[in-house]
Amino acid sequence: MPARAAPDLLRSVFRRHAAGVAVITAGGERGPAGFTATSLASVSAEPPMLSFGVATGASSWPAIAAAGHVGVHILGEHQRELAATFARSGADRFGPSTAWREGPEGVPVLDGVLAWLVGRVVARVPAGDHRVVLAEVVHGDCAGPGRPLLYHQGRFTALRD
């Protein structure tokens, strides 16, 4: 018998969906902000555009809501702790254990990632308790070595051959 739609059903289904792990960053009035995201998607090739979801109750939402540009970082399997730091509420995400620099458009860019992009925010679309952010890619680098970090069954993991 099918289950009725509910938050628990959605969470249970998406625990079975392996997703790549990204960290989204933005500059903010109180300093840099960021969070771990598994909702990253490519939207358009021309113009190059991406999307991600962010909860409006998240500590990073005010910075993302005000930002003209955001950073998108694809994490490698060697960056589980970085993913956990940016996912943990109340963590010092840009503290001494996080290597980063100011990148194009003033966006915080994390060091050691597989790839990063800077996107100009073009829309923030209401979607329940989240916003779907659409950003047009304006800068990036895909030269980082390694294999991608994944999120599956509620934990960070790596690809298996």
Side-chain angles (χ1 to χ4, degrees), residues 54 60-68 121 124:
V54 56
S60 56
W61 169 241
I64 301 294
V121 175
R124 294 172 185 87

Side-chain angles (χ1 to χ4, degrees), residues 75-80 114 146-150 157-159:
L75 300 191
E77 62 188 4
H78 62 287
Q79 295 178 302
R80 292 178 192 202
L114 298 186
R147 293 164 47 104
L149 182 64
L150 299 179
T157 188
L159 289 173

Side-chain angles (χ1 to χ4, degrees), residues 15-30:
R15 279 189 192 103
R16 295 174 177 264
H17 174 70
V21 181
V23 167
I24 310 299
T25 62
E29 286 185 14
R30 297 182 178 178

Side-chain angles (χ1 to χ4, degrees), residues 46-50 68-70 118-123 134-139:
E46 189 56 47
M49 194 171 291
L50 58 83
H69 291 81
V70 293
V118 170
R120 181 180 59 81
V121 175
V122 296
L134 295 167
E136 183 176 351
V137 175
V138 293
H139 303 283

Side-chain angles (χ1 to χ4, degrees), residues 62-152:
I64 301 294
H69 291 81
V70 293
V72 177
H73 307 81
I74 307 300
L75 300 191
E77 62 188 4
H78 62 287
Q79 295 178 302
R80 292 178 192 202
E81 187 53 41
L82 182 65
T85 297
F86 275 83
R88 196 172 20 254
S89 180
D92 184 4
R93 296 173 180 161
F94 290 90
S97 65
T98 302
W100 67 281
R101 65 191 182 285
E102 185 174 311
E105 311 299 338
V107 171
V109 173
L110 303 176
D111 293 341
V113 297
L114 298 186
W116 60 267
L117 300 167
V118 170
R120 181 180 59 81
V121 175
V122 296
R124 294 172 185 87
V125 181
D129 60 356
H130 280 60
R131 294 296 181 270
V132 175
V133 177
L134 295 167
E136 183 176 351
V137 175
V138 293
H139 303 283
D141 184 0
C142 61
R147 293 164 47 104
L149 182 64
L150 299 179
Y151 189 73
H152 183 248

